[in-house]
Amino acid sequence: FSESAPGQPFWHPHGQIIWNELINFSRELHKKFNYQEISTPYVLDNKLWKISGHWEHYKNNMFITEYENKTAGMKPMNCPGMMLVYKTKTRSYKDLPLRLFEFGTVHRRELSGVLSGLFRVIKITQDDAHIFCTNEQIESEISSIFQIIKTIYKDTFGFSYRMELSTRPEKFLGKKEDWETAEQALEKVLKKQKIQYKVNKGDGAFGPKIDLHIKDSLNREWQCATIQLDMQMPQRFEISFIGKDNKKHTPIVIHRAVFGSLERFIG
């Protein structure tokens, strides 16, 4: 670490070997589960962040820059870029589920007092995926993500972990019925897989989510993998697919990261 780049690790040769091996391992695993790898830009026009809602709710945590009299922001999250990739052509129900995946590097402004080695950084590289699917496909897609999580955390690295289900907050976006459907879908999969979990009431974001927590060598707990059902971003970006009835429908988006971030996982 250097004062010249707070919260941004410099990877030396041996550290870079670990980094590269994790990426190679993850890349091969995702191929087996039919993910398509993409890459999206780091700096995007503020119009995009206004559509996504980040400009209104997250601007203070973003790095802002000016370019040819236009305001842009370094991405703090990968989702808006993924939405643009989805929108580049008309999608059909036959294309779903569509699993787009990237090693997305994001930057978030953090106060120096909360930075903590590799565990809390400013430059974050996520093994981030967005799965575009129908309501009927949610359960099978979440089950598939749990398989990837088990392969990485339990079978390969021998971590024990616990899960938390975060539900609808008091101030929520969208319809109450959609939240209830999504929460029930997540609960159903957790119970089917016989996974013990704690309910974290009212801590959902754009939709309900499941967070995985593991402990470090000092017995401190860190959230790593996350799975979130998002019913808002697809509506904000007006993304759609043509259904069997030949009409436009809005897909559900499952945001998920399995390492969570490479930095924290390596930590």
Side-chain angles (χ1 to χ4, degrees):
F1 288 93
S2 165
E3 288 179 9
S4 302
Q8 300 175 74
F10 288 73
W11 294 93
H12 292 232
H14 290 165
Q16 192 65 40
I17 289 169
I18 297 171
W19 180 278
N20 291 343
E21 287 303 316
L22 283 177
I23 284 182
N24 293 338
F25 170 53
S26 175
R27 190 169 269 145
E28 288 307 309
L29 187 59
H30 280 85
K31 277 182 195 169
K32 289 177 188 172
F33 283 84
N34 298 314
Y35 283 77
Q36 298 177 64
E37 188 176 347
I38 63 167
S39 180
T40 61
Y42 291 177
V43 181
L44 295 131
D45 194 293
N46 73 345
K47 288 176 188 170
L48 187 80
W49 303 114
K50 286 175 181 175
I51 294 169
S52 69
H54 288 94
W55 202 254
E56 185 183 350
H57 299 288
Y58 206 77
K59 186 182 174 185
N60 292 340
N61 296 86
M62 292 173 65
F63 288 95
I64 311 296
T65 184
E66 295 289 328
Y67 174 65
E68 291 190 346
N69 299 319
K70 288 182 181 176
T71 304
M74 288 191 79
K75 64 177 178 178
M77 292 167 197
N78 298 300
C79 358
M82 290 265 193
M83 300 298 139
L84 294 188
V85 173
Y86 182 93
K87 283 189 78 165
T88 50
K89 62 180 183 180
T90 303
R91 310 283 180 177
S92 153
Y93 69 94
K94 293 176 185 175
D95 299 319
L96 305 183
L98 177 65
R99 306 177 187 100
L100 298 179
F101 164 69
E102 74 173 313
F103 293 101
T105 298
V106 301
H107 290 77
R108 298 174 187 172
R109 286 173 61 178
E110 297 278 13
L111 296 170
S112 57
V114 301
L115 296 174
S116 177
L118 287 172
F119 295 101
R120 189 75 181 260
V121 289
I122 282 172
K123 176 178 177 277
I124 306 162
T125 303
Q126 301 170 312
D127 57 332
D128 211 355
H130 290 71
I131 301 164
F132 300 83
C133 65
T134 64
N135 279 322
E136 297 73 32
Q137 293 166 337
I138 291 173
E139 195 179 323
S140 61
E141 289 305 308
I142 302 287
S143 296
S144 176
I145 296 166
F146 279 146
Q147 276 184 273
I148 298 173
I149 286 172
K150 182 178 177 291
T151 300
I152 290 178
Y153 283 86
K154 193 174 181 182
D155 301 345
T156 306
F157 290 98
F159 280 116
S160 57
Y161 50 83
R162 70 175 187 87
M163 299 279 199
E164 270 187 7
L165 171 63
S166 298
T167 58
R168 187 179 74 245
E170 276 186 37
K171 291 180 180 177
F172 63 92
L173 293 168
K175 296 176 187 171
K176 188 180 176 185
E177 311 87 76
D178 288 341
W179 275 85
E180 286 169 353
T181 303
E183 285 170 13
Q184 284 162 12
L186 292 181
E187 275 196 287
K188 192 176 179 184
V189 183
L190 284 163
K191 284 173 180 170
K192 237 184 194 180
Q193 303 262 338
K194 294 179 180 172
I195 294 170
Q196 289 189 332
Y197 65 96
K198 174 187 164 191
V199 175
N200 195 2
K201 203 171 178 183
D203 205 41
F206 284 103
K209 62 187 178 120
I210 295 169
D211 290 326
L212 175 147
H213 298 261
I214 60 174
K215 288 181 179 177
D216 66 15
S217 59
L218 299 176
N219 221 30
R220 297 173 303 182
E221 199 170 56
W222 300 94
Q223 185 238 308
C224 287
T226 186
I227 306 166
Q228 182 178 172
L229 288 187
D230 186 351
M231 300 152 292
Q232 310 313 319
M233 199 74 73
Q235 292 171 22
R236 282 176 171 269
F237 279 89
E238 298 178 344
I239 65 170
S240 62
F241 67 92
I242 306 299
K244 289 180 183 177
D245 57 3
N246 219 28
K247 292 178 181 173
K248 281 187 177 182
H249 299 270
T250 304
I252 293 282
V253 172
I254 303 172
H255 302 252
R256 48 109 291 194
V258 180
F259 288 137
S261 82
L262 281 160
E263 292 83 1
R264 182 173 287 183
F265 191 83
I266 291 170

